[in-house]
Amino acid sequence: MGILGRFFGGKHDYPLLDSSTTAAKQLESVRLPLEKLANETKDPLEAVPAEDSVYVFVGKPPKKFGIAWIEHGEKIVNFKSLVDEKGLTQDNLQPLSEKLRKAYLSHQDKPRYVTKISDREVVVIPSASLVKNLKGVVEQTVG
């Protein structure tokens, strides 16, 4: 499907993620929470696998999106849980969102793949530099 498919909600033209790659193995290690996340939202998902976590852009980055990440192989953290657990306010979340948007934009040239999670197509961005960027932003804001 070409460019019109993307504008009208069609499937991505990215290659399938090879199941033997490190990224695929990292996603597999958190399959249950990823499936839970995929089942809880209808929004598009873009996963950025890391050695000890997976970051997931929810929605349509870089414009309208949220982010969630899976900690310790099981716990899903998102903006709502940060408000509930850490007492962050909208004033705290706005700069976090802007930094995450910039991180996403600065890595748009990285290869992307697709995989199936809970019968949904999920875009996968296996990028160590994006992971480093995302970890830095989250640790800086959340602590």
Side-chain angles (χ1 to χ4, degrees):
M1 186 166 290
I3 194 162
L4 289 179
R6 289 190 191 166
F7 285 123
F8 296 106
K11 302 269 184 217
H12 297 285
D13 287 332
Y14 304 126
L16 286 174
L17 182 67
D18 184 333
S19 62
S20 68
T21 62
T22 301
K25 291 173 185 170
Q26 290 167 329
L27 292 175
E28 190 59 38
S29 74
V30 294
R31 177 158 291 280
L32 289 177
L34 266 177
E35 287 177 344
K36 180 180 181 202
L37 185 62
N39 290 329
E40 288 177 351
T41 182
K42 300 287 185 223
D43 293 323
L45 302 174
E46 294 190 36
V48 185
E51 187 174 310
D52 56 351
S53 58
V54 173
Y55 296 89
V56 183
F57 287 95
V58 180
K60 297 181 180 178
K63 293 182 180 183
K64 186 175 179 178
F65 71 95
I67 192 164
W69 58 94
I70 299 170
E71 289 183 340
H72 312 295
E74 59 187 50
K75 182 180 178 186
I76 299 172
V77 180
N78 57 28
F79 285 167
K80 182 182 181 323
S81 66
L82 290 176
V83 169
D84 294 345
E85 295 173 19
K86 304 271 188 191
L88 294 182
T89 65
Q90 187 61 34
D91 290 340
N92 300 119
L93 293 178
Q94 188 59 38
L96 172 61
S97 184
E98 182 59 26
K99 289 176 185 175
L100 292 168
R101 185 183 75 76
K102 286 181 180 177
Y104 182 89
L105 284 170
S106 69
H107 292 84
Q108 281 189 312
D109 62 333
K110 299 299 181 193
R112 283 160 167 73
Y113 302 88
V114 292
T115 193
K116 289 279 187 182
I117 303 288
S118 196
D119 291 329
R120 291 193 50 200
E121 184 178 271
V122 175
V123 174
V124 181
I125 310 167
S127 168
S129 59
L130 180 53
V131 166
K132 184 177 178 181
N133 234 194
L134 295 174
K135 276 187 179 187
V137 168
V138 169
E139 288 173 4
Q140 193 178 48
T141 305
V142 179

